Amino acid sequence: MTRFALREAHAHIPAHGRAMSMLRAGDCLNKEELLDLLGRAGGTGWVLAAGARVNAWADPRWPDRSELDRVQPDRPCCVMSFDHHSIAANTAAMRAAGMSEDEPDPPGGVICRDARTGTTTGLLLESAAMRVWHSAPEPGESERRAHVLAALKDLATHGFTEVHDLLSPAWLGPLLASLDADGLLPCGVRLYAPQAELESQHAAATGPRGWERPRVRLAGAKCFADGTLNSRTAWMIEPYRDPLPGLPLGKPMMTAAELDSALALTRAKGLELAVHAIGDGAVRAVLDARERAGRESPPLRIEHCELIDRSDVVRFAEFGVAVSVQPCHLFADIEVLTRELPHRLHRVLPLRELIDAGCAPGRGLWFGSDVPIVRPDPEDSIRAAVHRGRAEVGPVIAPEQAITEDEAWRCFSPEECAR
Ligand SMILES: [Zn+2]
């Protein structure tokens, strides 16, 4: 049930559209269904499937390279896991990426091998997965246009009238503007350029022949203060139970000076800054930077905020910093949180405290999905915010931080947005 126009505050429009154009591995309930799907792929060139949830299968084993070769002997073929951290590749795909049989693991990646024979299984993790996946040709201009249109239509069917794109490539603004001019844009879009491209994208958006229009705006810049929970690189105040070697608190990605300069550069353009901060250590570092900037700060939003220390909660309303969260990620993160941060579970998405401290739903507290990491169905975040777990049953995290269904819907409301 959709009650009013909705805002998706954290999406990746081009990636969502591209994933929609791929085979839907997430619909497969076992290996046989996946192999069947891959074998029936039409077209020519690379066969790409996205969204595999192998860990949810009764027999949670990826198809190996020989099985993939059987259904796709000639075309490069890859299946990506839903969390974008691993893929299964056939021989043609590994060859197309220039990955040889005796190749050592790349830095930050793993080429999995059969324990007995030592041959590669086709399962690739992290940087090894990315290397093969990105060997597939990038979409051309007409494909991009089709992908972006498909993604926006999908978001519109979920009731979204305003979508925020967090890390927009330079071609996205002009493409959206041309769709709008053709009367094809189903919702308004606010774009956030990578911090390093703010200058050039701002010039392209606002120059004499700038692409900005009322429904397509360059809203600001995006930067990253830490990594992710699943890779244990999110920056924490207290150590992980089983941290990466040498990184007990995860991995800060920006220094205080870099945060200060990101704020200053964004303010100089009169735009907003969106900072990715998943761990409570990263959230605190961003709030500290905001405090140092004082009245010289641009409008600031912090993305994800999966953990927030008790003492930092009041600082959001105090400084007028927007909390941009994706409660639906609780469904996928519940295991890693319980395993790695059992002593900090009470600090996960403290939505009740944030609202009580003055972050009004929709005005200071925004919901989104981070699509295509998960699907953009707003009901998922409503359920997670109200039930603090997958549904009425199963494990819950910090149930005292639950908010009401009405409050949760208002977090999706653009009317509540003061900007
Ligand atoms: Zn994102």
Side-chain angles (χ1 to χ4, degrees):
M1 171 187 55
T2 300
R3 301 175 181 195
F4 36 64
L6 302 177
R7 172 191 55 211
E8 160 62 86
H10 191 125
H12 300 278
I13 295 168
H16 178 37
R18 192 164 183 217
M20 286 176 72
S21 77
M22 295 174 189
L23 299 170
R24 293 156 60 108
D27 294 344
C28 301
L29 301 177
N30 54 53
K31 188 165 73 177
E32 287 65 40
E33 285 185 18
L34 177 59
L35 289 168
D36 185 54
L37 177 76
L38 298 170
R40 285 187 289 108
T44 54
W46 285 67
V47 176
L48 298 173
R53 288 188 176 266
V54 175
N55 280 323
W57 295 349
D59 179 8
R61 271 183 298 182
W62 285 88
D64 67 21
R65 189 159 55 87
S66 62
E67 290 170 311
L68 294 171
D69 287 347
R70 183 164 50 75
V71 294
Q72 282 296 346
D74 304 316
R75 296 167 69 186
C77 171
C78 293
V79 186
M80 173 73 90
S81 72
F82 78 95
D83 68 357
H84 296 230
H85 287 269
S86 42
I87 69 163
N90 71 350
T91 304
M94 290 177 68
R95 242 182 235 145
M99 194 174 268
S100 64
E101 186 58 29
D102 51 6
E103 181 132 344
D105 288 346
V110 180
I111 301 169
C112 297
R113 292 170 187 283
D114 185 282
R116 206 166 34 84
T117 62
T119 54
T120 57
T121 64
L123 183 61
L124 305 165
L125 311 181
E126 305 294 346
S127 70
M130 290 306 125
R131 182 170 139 202
V132 175
W133 185 258
H134 291 300
S135 299
E138 284 292 310
E141 214 169 303
S142 66
E143 278 174 298
R144 279 176 181 172
R145 188 178 162 96
H147 292 165
V148 165
L149 257 182
L152 290 173
K153 277 186 189 153
D154 180 53
L155 288 158
T157 59
H158 283 103
F160 294 112
T161 56
E162 178 183 321
V163 177
H164 296 189
D165 188 79
L166 272 296
L167 208 66
S168 312
W171 53 263
L172 185 59
L175 171 54
L176 291 167
S178 94
L179 290 173
D180 189 39
D182 294 345
L184 294 173
L185 200 69
C187 41
V189 182
R190 295 170 66 82
L191 296 89
Y192 291 81
Q195 176 72 43
E197 293 178 20
L198 182 63
E199 186 91 41
S200 57
Q201 288 209 27
H202 182 253
T206 59
R209 291 164 50 83
W211 51 258
E212 263 197 336
R213 314 166 58 88
R215 297 180 75 218
V216 186
R217 304 218 72 104
L218 180 66
K222 163 103 183 273
C223 59
F224 291 79
D226 69 349
T228 67
L229 213 50
N230 273 289
S231 61
R232 290 170 287 167
T233 49
W235 176 9
M236 298 296 166
I237 289 174
E238 291 185 25
Y240 289 90
R241 196 157 72 170
D242 177 27
L244 292 175
L247 295 174
L249 303 177
K251 190 168 170 49
M253 308 269 272
M254 292 176 82
T255 63
E258 285 167 340
L259 281 167
D260 291 345
S261 103
L263 284 165
L265 289 170
T266 315
R267 176 174 158 101
K269 296 280 174 251
L271 296 174
E272 299 169 29
L273 183 64
V275 187
H276 163 118
I278 289 179
D280 46 12
V283 170
R284 176 172 290 172
V286 179
L287 290 168
D288 288 348
R290 169 63 186 80
E291 186 164 5
R292 285 192 300 275
R295 293 155 70 127
E296 298 300 304
S297 174
L300 177 64
R301 47 184 289 177
I302 307 185
E303 306 304 307
H304 311 305
C305 297
E306 197 128 334
L307 282 87
I308 304 174
D309 190 70
R310 180 81 185 96
S311 62
D312 290 322
V313 167
V314 293
R315 302 173 80 197
F316 284 92
E318 188 185 332
F319 300 140
V321 175
V323 191
S324 169
V325 292
Q326 303 81 34
C328 52
H329 288 204
L330 272 186
F331 303 153
D333 291 346
I334 217 160
E335 276 81 21
V336 64
L337 285 166
T338 312
R339 191 173 63 239
E340 286 297 334
L341 300 158
H343 49 297
R344 294 294 281 169
L345 293 182
H346 59 294
R347 297 317 313 160
V348 173
L349 293 180
L351 304 179
R352 181 76 268 151
E353 285 176 8
L354 285 163
I355 293 177
D356 291 348
C359 294
R363 189 178 287 263
L365 179 58
W366 308 354
F367 282 3
S369 68
D370 207 359
V371 65
I373 301 294
V374 299
R375 62 181 185 177
D377 187 340
E379 303 263 0
D380 291 343
S381 274
I382 301 296
R383 213 164 350 119
V386 172
H387 299 293
R388 303 292 302 184
R390 290 197 174 92
E392 293 82 348
V393 294
V396 295
I397 284 190
E400 68 280 6
Q401 298 293 349
I403 62 175
T404 68
E405 201 174 321
D406 184 61
E407 287 170 325
W409 277 113
R410 282 194 284 130
C411 291
F412 277 115
S413 167
E415 278 102 292
E416 306 277 349
C417 179
R419 288 160 204 276

